[in-house]
Amino acid sequence: MREVPAVLPIGIFGTSAMLGVLNVEGIAVGGAPTWVVEGLLPAGCCAILAAEPRIGKTWLAQDLVVSVASGTPFLGRKTQQRNVLYVPAEDALPDFARRLHDLRRGRGLPTDASSAWGIQVTSQRVRLDLPEHRAALTGALLAQGAGLLVLDPLALLHGADENDAGAMLRVLSEVRQLSRATGACVLIVHHMRKPSHSDGGRRAHRVRGSNAVHGWCDVLMCLEQLREGLRLDVEARGFQAPAPRAFTTSQVGLALRLAASNAS
């Protein structure tokens, strides 16, 4: 066995201060989570909402936004009122605004400008793989005091190969740093593949791109089409994931409503 010198030459190794090494007993123990959506989205978490195309994941993400910004329940769960920043890479802004009007109208909330909605939206293209864009997002979140950032969809917000684990981890690790710097919960809207034998029955394996994508998040919400309505399945780390939740959507005039369903 190779012997280690009793006295090591100065300069061979760096100091522990470089790594911020701490004694564990001196670290304050975290308490119960603070929820943005009770039992579903803890404050400061990184989450993914995934579904096959045209099922309704953007509608659901925007219903979540209206819930959090107004402090009203989301799929029957209490929310903590927080300002929201939405990055819509796919929708034209007039279409985005119309959806939010419809969702607010479905909740009986005012749709005019007489009261602040607590929702801001980016009007220019955002690239998560560009440092200056991440810095701008960080500044916008801090200026607004936002507790929720929605990135929709992931595929249009970076230039990396989503099947390259290393490339995606570099992008997503920067997103987590953004969350830590601002304290905001980050929700990424992403695509799922159709089921196949290689999935092993796990919805997480259907999330498009490298396994690093679904492995990165704290909360994975998978939205699926049922014979009647939709179902939301959740995987989580750090807390017990809620049971699957089925719900239906209905449009009455210009008002859009989501309601619980008994379907499975």
Side-chain angles (χ1 to χ4, degrees):
M1 179 181 295
R2 182 180 178 184
E3 294 185 0
V4 178
V7 179
L8 296 172
I10 295 174
I12 290 181
F13 299 107
T15 66
S16 61
M18 182 186 300
L19 301 179
V21 176
L22 302 172
N23 294 319
V24 173
E25 65 271 18
I27 301 174
V29 177
T34 300
W35 299 103
V36 175
V37 180
E38 189 175 74
L40 182 63
L41 291 178
C45 77
C46 292
I48 290 177
L49 170 60
E52 292 178 29
R54 298 178 182 84
I55 282 182
K57 57 185 176 294
T58 290
W59 273 116
L60 188 63
Q62 291 173 355
D63 187 73
L64 170 64
V65 164
V66 170
S67 298
V68 171
S70 62
T72 53
F74 173 69
L75 294 180
R77 295 182 174 275
K78 294 179 181 177
T79 64
Q80 181 185 72
Q81 193 283 320
R82 302 296 299 272
N83 289 340
V84 180
L85 177 61
Y86 203 108
V87 180
E90 207 164 39
D91 287 344
L93 288 185
D95 294 335
F96 174 85
R98 177 184 55 78
R99 284 182 170 185
L100 263 60
H101 274 79
D102 292 353
L103 288 164
R104 286 180 62 87
R105 189 176 286 109
R107 292 167 180 270
L109 296 170
T111 58
D112 57 19
S114 60
S115 60
W117 291 13
I119 303 169
Q120 289 189 327
V121 59
T122 57
S123 60
Q124 303 295 323
R125 188 184 181 196
V126 172
R127 284 279 300 270
L128 298 172
D129 47 348
L130 297 180
E132 60 270 28
H133 284 207
R134 295 194 302 270
L137 279 177
T138 299
L141 288 166
L142 292 173
Q144 188 191 9
L148 176 63
L149 168 66
V150 180
L151 304 168
D152 180 14
L154 176 61
L156 298 181
L157 291 168
H158 64 86
D161 179 356
E162 67 179 18
N163 294 305
D164 184 327
M168 290 309 301
L169 280 176
R170 283 190 290 275
V171 172
L172 293 172
S173 65
E174 293 292 350
V175 174
R176 187 173 292 278
Q177 288 303 317
L178 187 155
S179 173
R180 289 174 176 168
T182 62
C185 171
V186 177
L187 175 66
I188 289 177
V189 180
H190 193 39
H191 296 289
M192 286 176 68
R193 297 183 293 264
K194 292 186 179 296
S196 70
H197 294 298
S198 63
D199 300 330
R202 281 199 63 194
R203 292 175 179 84
H205 293 162
R206 292 173 51 202
V207 175
R208 204 175 72 182
S210 165
N211 287 340
V213 176
H214 70 76
W216 162 84
C217 65
D218 305 311
V219 181
L220 174 62
M221 299 183 284
C222 295
L223 183 66
E224 291 197 277
Q225 182 82 57
L226 301 177
R227 186 172 299 175
E228 293 184 8
L230 300 163
R231 184 180 65 204
L232 188 67
D233 290 89
V234 181
E235 295 183 15
R237 63 170 167 242
F239 66 95
Q240 183 174 349
R245 182 65 183 268
F247 61 96
T248 58
T249 60
S250 60
Q251 188 108 23
V252 180
L254 295 176
L256 183 73
R257 296 185 180 89
L258 276 64
S261 166
N262 294 321
S264 61

